[in-house]
Amino acid sequence: MSSLQQLYQSWKEGVITPADKAALLRELALPENEEAALVIFREMLEQPEHTENEPVLSRERIGLIAGSIISVTAPVRGIHAIRRWGWAAAVLALLVSTAAYFLLKPSPAKPVMAAVADIAPGSNKAVLTLADGSEMLLDSAGNRTIQQGGTAIKQTGGNLQYNATGNEAAGSYNTLTTPRGGQFRVTLPDGTKVWLNAASSLRYPTAFTGNERNVSITGEAYFEVAKNEEMPFRVAINATNTIEVLGTSFNVNAYTDGNYISTTLLTGLVRVRSGNGQAVLKPGQQAHATAAQPFVQVLEHADISKAIAWKNGLFNFQDADLKEVMQQLSRWYDIEVVYEHGIPDLQFIGEIDRSMPLSEVLKGLQMSGVNFRVEQRRRLVVYP
């Protein structure tokens, strides 16, 4: 039996000394023990919740393992570990300081897993509102062509493709709307590709004419704009906030429950306007603006992977507080989140696959110190 295994066995039996606990931390921190550390962590989560003497699956133990893995492997290997072990992601996502707190001040109480009626993750679904006001429900199973005047709209699964013939009526607009728990993709008549996140909408013309290409959004969308220097592309977010583009890829998060509208630029150049304020973004920068403030704040080094994680099928909780985490979950799983006595002060790092059922995500969150109960199936009450 290796030294690491011996130390872990002593820990499971509740006979580990402070010196051996420190030695266990050192062993887990060694790069050559990374795989063993992950196996040990999974075994801990699969063990019975308590023994006659003490809870085996205590927050102290979780904090010890989480703190070791995060402090040694973040950000690269830590993220891989999170993806690998599914629902353990939120446990691994504890800040090192939180893990240290649990290590120094263990909780005698065992965690109680809440019974959760499982809720499937979101999927490709949307409502397409045509120029005449008629609505069509779209989902992953759709495979059809919709003729609208001189425009053919082809649906293939979760994607819409517009093909204009040049005989379209000027001023004819469509709106693509995703519900909570839905996402969709559309290729506009000029070849611009747009991904819509949950609870979002995109309004656009069935053909781009004149000197500009104008669309408007609510919620969150990722754009890959077809280049056309003779016809700038403009995204309206509300009455005071717009984005002007020549040809580029960027993400816009404009949910009304957020603190600000964020525009993250991946390639090209965009100009972000907010009232009388404006800023030109370069790749890797992010702009923050609000509807009420006439200025734009620019962050020089944006977290690109966090901004577009949703498009790549992931939740990214890097430096996210509990409110932000719950906002993402509520939109994707179509649940209502209520805080019974204020919002607990917790922060997270790491990524989780958005294809997991809600119960798996909640298990991990509960092990990281989030207490909750489920009411009426889709109402999640969070309490200290």
Side-chain angles (χ1 to χ4, degrees):
M1 182 180 293
S2 70
S3 174
L4 177 58
Q5 290 173 322
Q6 290 176 338
L7 290 168
Y8 175 53
Q9 187 64 33
S10 297
W11 193 21
K12 287 199 299 182
E13 294 172 358
V15 296
I16 193 168
T17 65
D20 283 344
K21 185 181 290 186
L24 176 57
L25 277 170
R26 289 193 296 271
E27 289 286 333
L28 290 169
L30 294 174
E32 58 266 30
N33 287 337
E34 179 185 359
E35 293 297 327
L38 291 172
V39 171
I40 287 174
F41 182 51
R42 183 176 60 173
E43 288 178 355
M44 292 174 62
L45 297 178
E46 293 174 348
Q47 288 176 18
E49 294 182 2
H50 62 87
T51 64
E52 290 185 5
N53 299 320
E54 64 169 67
V56 173
L57 195 57
S58 69
R59 294 166 85 180
E60 177 196 10
R61 298 174 190 270
I62 295 298
L64 173 60
I65 297 295
S68 300
I69 293 176
I70 290 172
S71 62
V72 174
T73 64
V76 178
R77 288 199 296 271
I79 289 177
H80 288 172
I82 287 170
R83 289 175 179 168
R84 192 177 306 154
W85 298 125
W87 71 264
V91 179
L92 291 175
L94 283 170
L95 291 177
V96 177
S97 59
T98 305
Y101 171 81
F102 287 134
L103 179 59
L104 296 173
K105 186 179 179 180
S107 170
K110 66 178 182 179
V112 179
M113 301 304 296
V116 179
D118 218 352
I119 296 175
S123 60
N124 293 323
K125 54 187 173 184
V127 175
L128 175 63
T129 303
L130 300 176
D132 62 2
S134 60
E135 295 183 346
M136 305 189 70
L137 298 179
L138 310 177
D139 58 30
S140 297
N143 189 357
R144 55 186 165 176
T145 297
I146 306 163
Q147 194 65 40
Q148 183 182 218
T151 300
I153 311 168
K154 183 178 181 181
Q155 181 197 357
T156 306
N159 180 61
L160 282 182
Q161 171 80 48
Y162 277 73
N163 295 299
T165 64
N167 298 319
E168 295 75 26
S172 178
Y173 279 80
N174 285 181
T175 301
L176 185 65
T177 304
T178 55
R180 293 164 64 89
Q183 63 181 10
F184 225 78
R185 173 181 167 181
V186 58
T187 302
L188 300 178
D190 66 335
T192 292
K193 297 177 181 178
V194 187
W195 287 254
L196 278 182
N197 203 352
S200 303
S201 70
L202 174 71
R203 185 174 182 269
Y204 50 92
T206 58
F208 290 108
T209 59
N211 299 322
E212 297 178 349
R213 294 172 288 169
N214 295 309
V215 303
S216 60
I217 71 159
T218 64
E220 185 167 23
Y222 175 81
F223 289 81
E224 290 183 356
V225 178
K227 189 172 183 178
N228 184 343
E229 295 182 358
E230 302 300 321
M231 189 181 291
F233 192 96
R234 289 184 170 85
V235 181
I237 299 166
N238 50 44
T240 58
N241 296 84
T242 61
I243 301 168
E244 300 177 9
V245 186
L246 289 178
T248 189
S249 57
F250 61 98
N251 190 84
V252 182
N253 185 322
Y255 286 113
T256 55
D257 58 0
N259 295 325
Y260 45 75
I261 299 165
S262 69
T263 304
T264 308
L265 182 62
L266 281 74
T267 62
L269 291 174
V270 298
R271 178 181 287 107
V272 178
R273 296 183 185 273
S274 179
N276 295 325
Q278 62 176 302
V280 176
L281 296 187
K282 298 178 181 179
Q285 293 182 330
Q286 184 178 83
H288 290 178
T290 68
Q293 298 295 332
F295 64 86
V296 180
Q297 178 186 9
V298 177
L299 280 65
E300 291 295 331
H301 303 290
D303 188 341
I304 300 296
S305 60
K306 179 176 182 178
I308 65 171
W310 67 271
K311 172 183 169 288
N312 297 327
L314 298 169
F315 293 113
N316 186 305
F317 297 148
Q318 189 69 29
D319 299 323
D321 58 21
L322 183 61
K323 180 181 178 181
E324 181 182 342
V325 169
M326 287 300 177
Q327 284 175 337
Q328 292 191 50
L329 298 184
S330 68
R331 296 179 195 125
W332 188 236
Y333 293 97
D334 189 15
I335 59 173
E336 178 187 8
V337 178
V338 177
Y339 300 96
E340 193 165 68
H341 299 292
I343 304 175
D345 186 15
L346 293 172
Q347 286 187 296
F348 303 85
I349 62 172
E351 294 178 326
I352 303 177
D353 196 317
R354 294 214 311 178
S355 66
M356 292 197 305
L358 179 62
S359 62
E360 296 299 302
V361 178
L362 292 181
K363 285 178 184 178
L365 288 175
Q366 191 168 45
M367 293 309 301
S368 67
V370 181
N371 300 312
F372 63 86
R373 65 178 182 273
V374 180
E375 299 177 350
Q376 302 172 358
R377 191 170 183 268
R378 289 187 177 271
R379 180 183 173 92
L380 189 72
V381 181
V382 180
Y383 58 91

